[in-house]
Amino acid sequence: MHDRSASAAGNAAAPTAWTGQRERSNARTLRLMSWIATTLGRRVARAVLHPITLYFLCFGAAAGRASRQYLGRVLQRPPGWRERYRHLHHFAATVLDRVYLLQERFDEFDIQLQGLEHLDAVLAEGEGALLVGAHLGSFEALRALGQSHGGLRVAMVMYEDNARLINSTLKAIAPAAELHTIALGRLEAMLSLRDWLDHGGVAGLLADRTLPAQGQRSGTHQLPFLGQPAAFSDGPFRLAALLRRQVVFMAGLYHGGRRYELRFLPVADFRQRPRGQAALDAAIGEAVARYVAILEGLCRESPYNWFNFFDFWASAAEPPPQVSPTADDDRPAAPHPPLTA
């Protein structure tokens, strides 16, 4: 059922779609967006999004193709131009709102919570929480949770190269904000993540993209996703198994205007890690499948929140280049350190 066909050597030889191009710095773009957002206000800034969206609808050929492909799968019919426009506009709106969310201007938003009991159950045990998300909606909306949970500490977990980029980019957006990132790829980073969780912090990572470098036992699973198999890395879940943690899915769904919804769903519990490599691999495979099922369900429920603007279903042997309509490259990446659980 779960095809872990990609070995470490194979993945190193064939970089994935989104790592085919080096991450590009979007600091100047986001500084401009930050100036517009803070100087002109959100109402005027949102008006600017319409010509930006229209431009990419008309001239963003590669992004437009990826959007049409995804919308065709999730809607199960060819999308119209209004639906394509809405998809791109949702993305642009969440990029703009990142400025306000990172500046902790939460009073400008209506943020609803659903499934919070799943997160609270983990936190109630005195441990931090390991959250997995996707390029679905706004992961930055999670910062609003700290306000309602007595200063809950939130860190983003990402690949080492992305950490350097996002730290400088986020500082450009919100220089006064207290930003926490944990860059994986080294042994001390794993210890930092363990300590962060042990002291009650929340660590979030995005698990819907793969990296070319994988451990000896890490790999990809070809799983049905919106009607066709796609590759999903098991690295984040091997990380959870290595640290013996529960895993909770989190998404900050954008519902238009000032409305967001934080959604939490249980994925896996590795506190009692299975004995033997075969049993562990099976448990990790089940966790990946559960994650993909949740992700597919939310894509069908809120189809305009999916922000992977490349051919997500492309063959790993011949990956296409990634294309971003505005500032997608500084999203936190799915971490994939060399793990052997």
Side-chain angles (χ1 to χ4, degrees):
M1 179 177 179
H2 311 305
D3 179 13
R4 295 180 58 236
S5 58
S7 65
N11 286 322
T16 59
W18 73 273
T19 55
Q21 294 181 342
R22 298 300 297 171
E23 296 289 336
R24 303 185 301 276
S25 174
N26 294 287
R28 282 187 295 178
T29 301
L30 290 174
R31 283 194 189 100
L32 175 60
M33 187 64 78
S34 179
W35 181 86
I36 293 173
T38 56
T39 304
L40 303 180
R42 188 169 182 268
R43 179 177 298 180
V44 176
R46 280 181 59 83
V48 176
L49 298 182
H50 292 290
I52 293 174
T53 302
L54 185 61
Y55 173 85
F56 282 101
L57 181 66
C58 297
F59 302 108
R65 284 195 300 271
S67 177
R68 284 195 301 272
Q69 179 199 50
Y70 160 72
L71 289 175
R73 293 187 187 281
V74 74
L75 300 176
Q76 298 181 306
R77 58 174 173 77
W81 73 266
R82 288 184 178 85
E83 291 159 328
R84 293 163 50 207
Y85 182 93
R86 186 178 180 185
H87 185 206
L88 294 172
H89 187 272
H90 265 51
F91 174 72
T94 60
V95 171
L96 171 66
D97 286 343
R98 293 163 80 180
V99 175
Y100 301 104
L101 291 167
L102 287 166
Q103 293 177 349
E104 299 185 352
R105 295 166 60 175
F106 305 127
D107 58 332
E108 302 197 23
F109 299 95
D110 175 14
I111 300 178
Q112 301 296 318
L113 304 175
Q114 183 172 331
L116 186 59
E117 65 273 11
H118 302 301
L119 175 61
D120 285 341
V122 177
L123 296 175
E125 297 181 4
E127 297 182 353
L130 185 61
L131 307 182
V132 294
H135 292 75
L136 183 76
S138 174
F139 200 81
E140 285 80 9
L142 178 63
R143 292 174 61 85
L145 191 64
Q147 189 179 51
S148 62
H149 270 58
L152 185 68
R153 299 181 306 138
V154 178
M156 292 185 295
V157 183
M158 63 197 73
Y159 187 59
E160 190 171 19
D161 289 344
N162 278 11
R164 287 191 293 268
L165 172 61
I166 199 169
N167 278 329
S168 61
T169 303
L170 295 184
K171 283 296 183 184
I173 299 175
E178 186 178 1
L179 304 172
H180 297 284
T181 59
I182 299 174
L184 293 179
R186 298 180 182 179
L187 177 61
E188 56 266 29
M190 197 72 64
L191 299 177
S192 296
L193 176 57
R194 184 196 63 187
D195 291 344
W196 181 269
L197 295 171
D198 285 346
H199 288 85
V202 171
L205 57 146
L206 305 185
D208 58 337
R209 294 182 184 175
T210 58
L211 290 173
Q214 300 196 25
Q216 293 179 346
R217 291 178 181 149
S218 298
T220 57
H221 297 237
Q222 297 290 334
L223 292 169
F225 180 64
L226 298 177
Q228 184 172 326
F232 290 88
S233 170
D234 63 12
F237 304 97
R238 289 191 178 275
L239 173 63
L242 185 65
L243 296 175
R244 298 179 182 272
R245 301 289 172 172
Q246 299 179 72
V247 182
V248 177
F249 185 98
M250 177 269 168
L253 301 175
Y254 175 63
H255 293 314
R258 59 194 296 267
R259 295 178 296 117
Y260 283 85
E261 177 194 350
L262 290 179
R263 185 79 64 89
F264 300 93
L265 292 162
V267 177
D269 186 348
F270 291 106
R271 288 174 297 175
Q272 300 295 325
R273 196 171 64 182
R275 294 185 177 180
Q277 192 60 47
L280 178 60
D281 287 345
I284 290 172
E286 291 174 3
V288 178
R290 167 70 174 162
Y291 169 83
V292 174
I294 292 173
L295 179 59
E296 180 178 61
L298 290 177
C299 284
R300 295 196 184 280
E301 177 185 333
S302 299
Y304 305 106
N305 273 267
W306 172 256
F307 302 140
N308 276 312
F309 291 97
F310 63 96
D311 185 356
F312 194 81
W313 294 264
S315 168
E318 297 183 5
Q322 180 190 358
V323 177
S324 168
T326 50
D328 191 41
D329 286 334
D330 64 335
R331 290 284 197 170
H336 214 312
L339 299 178
T340 53

